[in-house]
Amino acid sequence: MTRQIRKAAVLGAGVMGAAIAAHLANVGIPVLLLDIVPKEVTPEEAAKGLTLDSPAVRNRFANRGLETAKKAKPAAFYAAEDAQLVQTGNIDDDLGKLAACDWIIEAVVENLQVKQQLFEKVESVAHPDAIVSSNTSGISITDMVKDRSPAFRKRFLGTHFFNPPRYMKLLEIIPGPDTDAEILDFMRGFGERVLGKGVVFAKDTPNFIANRIGTYGLLATLEAMKKHGLGVDEVDAITGPAMGRPKSATFRTLDLVGLDTFVHVAKNVEASVTEAWEKAAFAVPAFIEQMVANRWLGDKTGQGFFKKERSAAGKEILALDLDTLEYRPRKKLDSKSLKAAKNAPTVERKIQTLVYGEDVAAQFAWDVLKKALLYTAQKQGEIADDIVAVDNAMKWGFNWKLGPYETWDAIGVRKSVERMRAEGETIPPFVEELLAAGYESFYQREKGAAPKFYVGKSEFRTVDEAKEKISLARLKEAGKVVFRNTEASLIDMGDGIACLEIHSLKQAVTPGVIEMVYKAADEVEANWEGLVIGAQEDYFCVGANILLMLMEAQQKHWDNLNEAVDQFQKAMMRLKYMNKPVVAAPYGMTLGGGAEICFPADRVQAAAETYMGLVEVGIGLIPGGGGNKEVLIRAVENVPGDVGERLDAFVRKAFENIGTAKVSMSAKEAKKMGLLRLADGISVNGDYQLHDAKQVALGLARAGYQAPQPKRIPVVGEAGAALLKVGVYQMKMSGYISDHDEKVAHHLIRVLTGGNVPRGTLVTEQYLLDLEREAFLSLIGEEKTQARMQHMLTTGKPLRN
């Protein structure tokens, strides 16, 4: 049969259940969100005359869960209207509705008996082909349904999402002993392609893969911290990016997750494992038990390992002294090893530098890493079928840059094992076997090919990767670079499609990038079917290089600045009117010039998590690469019928988006803002984005692509400008904006309304570009704009002057 998930249900509307329902709605799947019926009426409900029979009362928990998801920060929904796809109810009254659902997800309290009783009810009403799964973080999948029918057990599995489900990539799929292989294959594909997840298969063991290793690592960190006499702030300085971990490091992460959640996971493993040493390893320290008793749970209660307090200097973040359980000012760790690690060029070099250093930070990092690596290898066969699943689980579930085995390769397996042996550690047989066979790493990598990974008994197996997951790094290794400079490359993606990759610092727009745009346009027009603009770095593009612009302005090199802006504008026009299709593939930070690079494309294939916006007003400028013009064109396109005076409302929306430096919080929101068109595509899983963009480019080419023809643009002129200026004046009089903000706004208004022309005048794109360039150059010469630029470079925050 051909399976589809057309409707889903989530049972349990707590934080995770409601957030899972929200993400299903994000990808267009209607969801039924059910929870239990309350046992009593609240005073607020009683005051409204409601009783236990009132639907609002009976659905209270589900309604509350949905409202929490709507207000969540970061947002649980891609766009506010996605919440309309979530229907609330309760398990007593609405269980029969499960018959219409293709996937039923249990997310109730972590209690085996409660889950067993619920699945008995679910089996009585669910469609016989419906997939049923549990979002448990650690209860045995097998035990949950041991009393259910064989048919039910065939379509039952664990689907463990990580919080928050919209943003965390990991989805652990845990088969039961009877789960049908066809369902596992389907759920893997559905999880990757539709939900946008990185799927790993985990074995039905306590807390599966990521939480098992991650929790052990956190507890090992607490032990090493005590041994070396470090504080929570000092530990976080070490266990962040220098060790290939997130900026939130250890204790900031625990505050984000919640200490109660951490304790629950740790105790679940402690209760489930049988060996004394492992039970001891997962024992929760007394000070954490005390913090939980004090309700110092982290962000959810306002304090945990860190606490914000107001002081004379403003907000101050205090760190908890674990000996006294009192808060103190944060301390800065002075460590040569840590400084050297932070300056190392790659993640691999950072970790090497840190763990092989000689000061206390290095010894601490080594102790923590050593314990985590040894534990992972010892439990490898128990928790997962292969090392790739383990590495991916830690990268996708805990945001590590490298998984445990990748980390081991980075620091040298043989070198590190020799040190471990010298320190009296027992090396797991899996590792000893690797070294005895003469291998030096868990992965074997050949340029341009998928890596091979160690599976034991002197055998390596190639990583199974979908062909649709295009890797630009691997294409470059395989010699597919057409040409390049230090800041951008043109890469052969195959099938006649080339990819323009920006790889300057933070993918900023630089002269080298502009040069490559021209070269790529000429090359593709002459020899290729189409062009994709994409990258696979941390950002798509953060805009122009502010430092270079500021230096030119401070030295009054106005001709240089004029030439740079003119070249950027012309490069974007070159892309727009190429005789071959252009598809942009933005993701993540797509700001300022990054958005302007997308606008000329025939289509945009955006990642779902695309944060797009024209943010130049934050540094006292307006967009200079054609962004104002393109947003105006999109506004005109959205006006129904004859443009007339109805254009004013659309121009006002464009003005507000640019004038407030608004950034979309998803690709869907970028469409609502008018930065993306309705025809533009969205890839929920970024791993497939370049493939999707390539297919769009091929489709346009094979359909007989014809380059667009320039059109004149209607503007609202002086009359429309006057209306916008009234609003700006009112903002200034109310104290919302400064004199300089007003000046910037007036320049923006002049561009968006067409300058000193009558309403309805048709103007050319070049006319608007000239206005834009003139405004940009005028503003960058202002002292207050330069002060804003300097402040942004120094602090990373906008200055209001």
Side-chain angles (χ1 to χ4, degrees), residues 565-738:
V565 176
D566 183 54
Q567 284 299 309
F568 187 18
Q569 292 180 342
K570 286 177 177 175
M572 296 305 98
M573 292 290 279
R574 179 75 178 91
L575 288 175
K576 183 170 184 175
Y577 293 106
M578 278 176 60
N579 62 24
K580 298 291 176 65
V582 178
V583 178
Y587 59 88
M589 293 297 181
T590 304
L591 305 177
E596 289 174 310
I597 286 173
C598 296
F599 292 153
D602 299 285
R603 293 284 189 279
V604 174
Q605 185 68 31
E609 300 297 342
T610 297
Y611 315 125
M612 178 179 278
L614 296 169
V615 296
E616 287 83 353
V617 297
I619 53 171
L621 294 169
I622 69 167
N628 309 284
K629 165 186 67 85
E630 289 296 332
V631 170
L632 179 61
I633 288 172
R634 283 156 176 73
V636 173
E637 291 172 346
N638 287 326
V639 180
D642 184 34
V643 173
E645 292 189 8
R646 284 175 294 186
L647 180 58
D648 280 292
F650 291 88
V651 173
R652 186 180 305 113
K653 180 181 176 183
F655 171 72
E656 290 171 355
N657 282 338
I658 301 173
T660 60
K662 185 176 180 182
V663 176
S664 74
M665 289 296 101
S666 68
K668 275 190 179 179
E669 192 175 12
K671 286 192 176 188
K672 285 181 62 180
M673 290 169 60
L675 300 178
L676 297 180
R677 293 183 166 104
L678 294 178
D680 291 331
I682 297 176
S683 297
V684 183
N685 190 329
D687 292 343
Y688 293 90
Q689 185 187 10
L690 287 178
H691 167 267
D692 295 343
K694 175 184 171 182
Q695 297 309 306
V696 173
L698 281 170
L700 290 170
R702 291 167 180 173
Y705 178 79
Q706 294 292 319
Q709 297 300 313
K711 296 179 180 178
R712 290 180 177 267
I713 304 147
V715 293
V716 295
E718 291 180 292
L723 294 174
L724 291 174
K725 287 177 181 178
V726 168
V728 170
Y729 177 77
Q730 291 172 341
M731 292 277 286
K732 191 180 106 174
M733 289 298 100
S734 300
Y736 291 113
I737 63 174
S738 67

Side-chain angles (χ1 to χ4, degrees), residues 183-372:
I183 285 177
L184 292 173
D185 286 343
F186 170 79
M187 288 302 294
R188 179 177 193 166
F190 177 82
E192 287 190 348
R193 255 323 202 159
V194 180
L195 298 180
K197 297 301 169 192
V199 174
V200 301
F201 286 101
K203 293 186 178 181
D204 190 9
T205 55
N207 292 98
F208 315 127
I209 301 173
N211 276 340
R212 180 80 169 268
I213 295 172
T215 303
Y216 177 87
L218 287 168
L219 288 164
T221 301
L222 298 178
E223 184 181 337
M225 178 181 68
K226 183 177 180 182
K227 171 184 173 182
H228 293 286
L230 296 171
V232 297
D233 41 1
E234 294 169 312
V235 167
D236 272 9
I238 301 168
T239 58
M243 287 187 70
R245 310 289 172 81
K247 289 181 180 179
S248 55
T250 298
F251 294 104
R252 185 74 190 96
T253 295
L254 284 171
D255 277 355
L256 289 167
V257 170
L259 265 70
D260 52 345
T261 302
F262 169 71
V263 168
H264 169 78
V265 172
K267 288 188 172 182
N268 185 61
V269 180
E270 183 186 16
S272 302
V273 297
T274 56
E275 295 186 73
W277 71 269
E278 195 169 8
K279 280 186 176 293
F282 281 93
V284 176
F287 70 84
I288 289 188
E289 296 275 21
Q290 184 60 54
M291 290 174 68
V292 172
N294 293 348
R295 299 292 295 167
W296 297 353
L297 305 180
D299 288 6
K300 67 176 77 174
T301 58
Q303 67 185 94
F305 290 104
F306 296 97
K307 180 174 74 169
K308 287 182 181 178
E309 277 193 357
R310 291 191 175 276
S311 65
K315 287 184 180 178
E316 183 181 9
I317 299 176
L318 303 177
L320 185 66
D321 186 311
L322 299 185
D323 292 325
T324 64
L325 288 187
E326 294 180 354
Y327 290 93
R328 57 161 176 77
R330 288 183 295 173
K331 296 182 292 187
K332 187 174 179 63
L333 180 65
D334 184 19
S335 163
K336 290 183 179 179
S337 297
L338 185 58
K339 288 176 183 176
K342 288 180 177 179
N343 291 328
T346 65
V347 177
E348 291 83 357
R349 290 286 300 278
K350 288 179 191 296
I351 301 172
Q352 289 170 20
T353 302
L354 182 57
V355 300
Y356 290 128
E358 295 182 354
D359 57 18
V360 66
Q363 187 60 54
F364 167 84
W366 167 255
D367 287 348
V368 170
L369 186 59
K370 174 180 68 173
K371 291 288 188 183

Side-chain angles (χ1 to χ4, degrees), residues 21 30 37 39 302 448 722 743:
V37 175
K39 294 181 179 179
K743 180 176 288 188

Side-chain angles (χ1 to χ4, degrees), residues 141 530 704 727 774:
I141 297 299
E774 176 188 326

